[in-house]
Amino acid sequence: MTTVAAALAAARAKLPASEARLLLGQVMRQAPAWLIAHDDELLDEDALLAFAALVARRAGGEPVAYLLGYREFFGRRFAVSPAVLIPRPETELLVELAKARVGAGALCVPGNPLARREAESRVCRDCGLVTPSILDLGTGSGCIAITLALELPLSRVTAVDSSGAALQVAASNALDLGASLRLLQGDWLSGLDGECFDLIVSNPPYVAAADAHLAQGDLRHEPRQALVGGADGLDAIRNIVAAASSHLALGGSLMIEHGHDQADAVRVLMGDAGFSEIKAHADLAGILRVTVGRLPSTGEAPAVSY
Ligand code: GLN
């Protein structure tokens, strides 16, 4: 019989200790901290074989998140599979910015003269409050949309993805986490004719097709369509920025996550598309990671606070 300590020690030849503990914890259905406190516990043959198989797959390059089947994001556990991008810590910045913007109110201007947009003003028939409507493009695991639906319970969240397999992962995460949102299959904004939102957020594919990182680490195993944004990485962002203004309420905001060297290009794209108050925000690593723009309001009606 092998002890937890011996199994972990053997795996150390191939993996960092923290990863070995996560994988053994998965096999034993215990938290990594439990393993530390119970390192003299014995493993049966099945557990040992299952652990060895996971260690071999991890040593072969498969992402820890796919082997575990989950990744933490904004303090919650999201199921992931190779059908979806693994949630990244830097994407929490996008969530923080969206929360702050909605929390600050004044997202849209109901009563503006554009009839279609007016029809979309969201005054609750019961309470009279305007509920912010949020759209997440390329939702993948749903980590952004579901987090916003849970953090901003008054909001109405729609999430779009072109991949049916990804939408299944997002739907199951929404169910597990108790979030209510609308999931739609579609190509960016193309299926949303006539719909209008206060806030559009996206972590689109933004890696350039020839980027060497695609052949390294976790990226080798993640869906290419969630990573690659054409030759310069900006294809999806160009598409989203061009279409967003006709799907935003006046005064509404667009927030896009992008690559470390794309902030200037995104600023130009947003400026050309008529956005104002454009600002790039740095992630915890100090990299300009999310650019935000606001669609100017006409100034004819006072902005409403939520
Ligand atoms: N931030 C990811 C990476 O470079 C890319 C995610 C994306 O394309 N949206 O690892």
Side-chain angles (χ1 to χ4, degrees), residues 85 88 90 203-207 219 222 226-228 257 289:
L85 194 79
R88 310 282 206 268
E90 59 265 31
N203 172 19
Y206 55 70
V207 180
L219 274 67
E222 292 181 287
L227 287 167
V228 176
E257 178 176 328
R289 183 59 74 186

Side-chain angles (χ1 to χ4, degrees), residues 223-289:
R224 212 179 144 77
Q225 72 182 76
L227 287 167
V228 176
D232 63 356
L234 290 165
D235 279 4
I237 293 179
R238 269 190 287 270
N239 189 326
I240 292 167
V241 173
S245 58
S246 53
H247 292 275
L248 274 173
L250 299 183
S253 298
L254 173 63
M255 302 187 170
I256 296 187
E257 178 176 328
H258 49 69
H260 66 96
D261 54 358
Q262 293 172 333
D264 288 345
V266 176
R267 169 183 295 278
V268 170
L269 287 170
M270 283 194 185
D272 289 350
F275 285 88
S276 62
E277 300 173 42
I278 302 166
K279 184 167 166 28
H281 297 261
D283 64 18
L284 289 174
I287 293 166
L288 292 176
R289 183 59 74 186

